[in-house]
Amino acid sequence: MTTGRRAVLATLAGGVLAGCAGPRSATNGATSGPPTVPAPNATPTPNATADAPASVPSATAPAISRAEIVARYRHAVPHSWGFDGPGVVHALPRGKREIALTFDACGGRGGSGYDQALIDFLREREVPATLFINSRWIEANPSLFRRLAAEPLFEIANHGTRHRPLSVTGRSAYGIPGTRDAGEVYDEIAGNRAELTRLLGTPPRFFRSGTAYCDDVAARIVTDLGERFASFSVNGDGGATFTPEQVRTTVASAPGGSIVICHMNHPEGGTAQGIAAAVPKLLARGHTFVRLSDAVH
């Protein structure tokens, strides 16, 4: 990763993921009732809590075990910390006008709301998106999750078990303590991976950590567990802190190949209005929208 690339990502990040970082005034918007299409599986009952890692049912566990990951990386020393690392995807393949809209649902205290207006807009305009969902959000919104998971327009991705930055040394980001060693990295990925696999019938392809931070060792563990770490190239809503105009300006200026990060768990923010204003402008410039799995192979 070049120095220039690091600088660009640092600028994009700047206070970036406040939508995942702590209590907000949002209320839980999960009032839409049961899904209108059959759920792919039973009601989610995640094993993870904010204080303990999830157990991983053997039927949905990754091919590599926790013990193997710990043995492989026990003495590994990380050399990077940020939004990039081995195997991390931060943009779509070059030469195309496709853009991937991605929306995080972080869960936990202050982060389990639901931006109904945002999702309704994507449905009405048939704009595909990748939804990175944390296990705590699933636990708070089981009916909403089942409905979203049943819609081909949306791809469900792994946003972790406890929403922690992914580190093997306990580094923190935006005041959120990171995982402390390779075993906790495994727990953060595999706990929610197991839950999503149980509910979806197939494991998620993409992972994004809480705050999107990782070190290079943790990034390799994501790959070992069979997922791709998805970063971003455009910070679309500043962690759900941007006004609608800021979201519109930022997202509407995204170039082809961008992976845009926004949030779907803060309906009180400017994300829905900003996205609704930006999408027509991008379409008018000849861009198309894709899920990550449609463009990243």
Side-chain angles (χ1 to χ4, degrees), residues 77 114 132 145 149 179 224 235 262:
V77 178
Y114 174 61
F132 284 86
F145 174 82
T179 50
D224 288 352
N235 174 22
C262 289

Side-chain angles (χ1 to χ4, degrees), residues 13-139:
V16 304
L17 301 174
C20 298
R24 296 281 298 265
S25 60
T27 57
N28 190 328
T31 59
S32 62
T36 57
V37 291
N41 260 305
T43 301
T45 54
N47 295 312
T49 69
D51 301 310
S55 60
V56 181
S58 60
T60 55
I64 187 169
S65 71
R66 188 183 196 276
E68 290 172 311
I69 288 292
V70 170
R72 181 177 299 179
Y73 293 104
R74 178 182 289 117
H75 302 298
V77 178
H79 299 287
S80 67
W81 178 242
F83 302 114
D84 209 347
V88 172
V89 56
H90 48 71
L92 304 182
R94 294 181 179 180
K96 296 185 178 181
R97 299 187 65 79
E98 296 173 334
I99 291 174
L101 298 179
T102 71
F103 298 94
D104 290 359
C106 308
R109 188 164 58 99
S112 290
Y114 174 61
D115 198 334
Q116 179 81 53
L118 170 68
I119 298 300
D120 284 348
F121 170 79
L122 298 176
R123 288 174 177 140
E124 290 165 5
R125 295 299 297 261
E126 297 184 343
V127 176
T130 301
L131 311 180
F132 284 86
I133 300 184
N134 181 267
S135 64
R136 302 172 306 170
W137 195 93
I138 300 173
E139 186 174 36

Side-chain angles (χ1 to χ4, degrees), residues 3-17:
T3 301
R5 174 70 187 165
R6 290 193 186 97
V8 169
L9 286 177
T11 300
L12 288 170
V16 304
L17 301 174

